[in-house]
Amino acid sequence: MGGMHSFVYNAQPSRVVFGPGTAARVADEVRRLDRSRVLLLGGEHVRPQAELVEKALGGLQVARFDGAVMHTPVAVTEKVLGLVSEHDIDAVVAVGGGSTTGLSKAIAVRTGVDQVILPTTYAGSEVTPVLGETADGVKTTHSSPAILPETVIYDVEFTLSMPIPMALTSAINAMAHAVEALYAEHANPIIDTLALEAIRAIARGVPVLGADAADREGRSDLLLAAWLAGTCLSAGGMGLHHKLCHVLGGSFDLPHAATHTVVLPHVMAFNAPSVPAVMSRIADALGTPTAPAGVFDLVAAAGGPTTLAELGMSEGDLDEAAHLATERQYPNPREVTRVGVRRLLGDAYAGIRPE
């Protein structure tokens, strides 16, 4: 791309430890932060990984909570704050996906404790200073340096047991971060490079998910993409796609990653006329003729969700969703109108392949 460059780039100050077996280093990472009273956050679906971390932490762990909930309800956070104060916690170690990471961030921003995150999905939020919390059915997002975790341990072994449907939707959730970063208000050459590499890694990793559930190289590609795409999200900002997914998740209780998976091709098709050069670069990274259809076909071929209907959305709620998503203006390459968003949601509801 030619022309004069002009941008601002803020690197987020966090430490990343990546590779198979790295979870064994969790106690060293806590001590490196000069912390000694750990609250471990886990959950039913990550019990084996949490048990390994509990063992590795040994005497550093003084409390544990396994009840993280999707969309980070404030009521749950308030319950855990009681544990933090009761046990004089100075660090949180979180094992899991976006729900556990969200709870860890919500605790940290209120108390100032340090965070060590061990992701088991490709949510990417572990490297962002962004927190989305839900209260009274409304999801509110805020950003602050105090929200950003200090250390992230990416252990590929922790993602091998992720069921294929979840691995797929989680990977496309990561792709959404990379896609939006390429046309974000604060786009810059560093983030562009990371975003395109994330998209390439996801295009490599998703097709092998079904071939072998424990394909280490494929899972390593997807985990690397999750880190890169999360880094894009933290620096590049968010547009229509993330706004829509927050509305559908926070107000209609749709599952987070699956919603990203269904909506992304349709938002890309909506924005494509305004950012043709970006869509061309994404298509090249995917190895497909067009970007929106390329993402749709990647998901469909892997057996992932392609309609809002199958996620439990009611057609009667589409008007209200379009209204909620367009109440306020926010950065997006194409003007966001209620009519345009309603049409987009209608296509996503029906699962129409973008042309």
Side-chain angles (χ1 to χ4, degrees), residues 49 120-122 157-168 170-171 209 213 219 223:
Q49 293 98 319
T120 59
T121 72
Y122 310 127
E157 306 289 331
F158 271 29
T159 66
L160 296 180
S161 60
M162 201 188 336
I164 288 170
M166 182 194 278
L168 170 63
S170 190
L209 276 173
R219 295 278 174 138
L223 192 58

Side-chain angles (χ1 to χ4, degrees), residues 174-184 195 199 264 268 278-279 282 295:
M175 184 180 281
H177 305 330
V179 166
E180 288 226 303
L182 286 164
Y183 52 66
I199 292 166
L264 181 60
M268 290 170 72
V278 168
M279 290 300 155
I282 294 170
V295 173

Side-chain angles (χ1 to χ4, degrees), residues 15 17 26 29 91 107 136 152 158 162 167 171-174 212 237 241 258 301 334:
R15 174 176 165 88
V17 181
V26 64
E29 292 301 323
I107 293 164
D136 305 319
V152 184
F158 271 29
M162 201 188 336
I172 303 301
N173 182 9
D212 178 3
H241 175 80
R334 180 177 171 187

Side-chain angles (χ1 to χ4, degrees), residues 252-313:
F252 301 97
D253 208 30
L254 297 195
H256 183 81
T259 304
H260 277 276
T261 303
V262 171
V263 169
L264 181 60
H266 301 283
V267 173
M268 290 170 72
F270 177 86
N271 280 329
S274 300
V275 282
V278 168
M279 290 300 155
S280 170
R281 295 165 82 196
I282 294 170
D284 285 348
L286 290 169
T288 59
T290 67
V295 173
F296 185 93
D297 293 345
L298 185 71
V299 172
T306 54
T307 75
L308 288 176
E310 70 191 283
L311 302 186
M313 185 77 183

Side-chain angles (χ1 to χ4, degrees), residues 42-49 66 68 95-100 120-121 161 163 166:
E44 275 307 315
H45 56 295
V46 292
R47 192 164 286 283
Q49 293 98 319
D66 285 324
V95 180
S99 301
T100 320
T120 59
T121 72
S161 60
M166 182 194 278

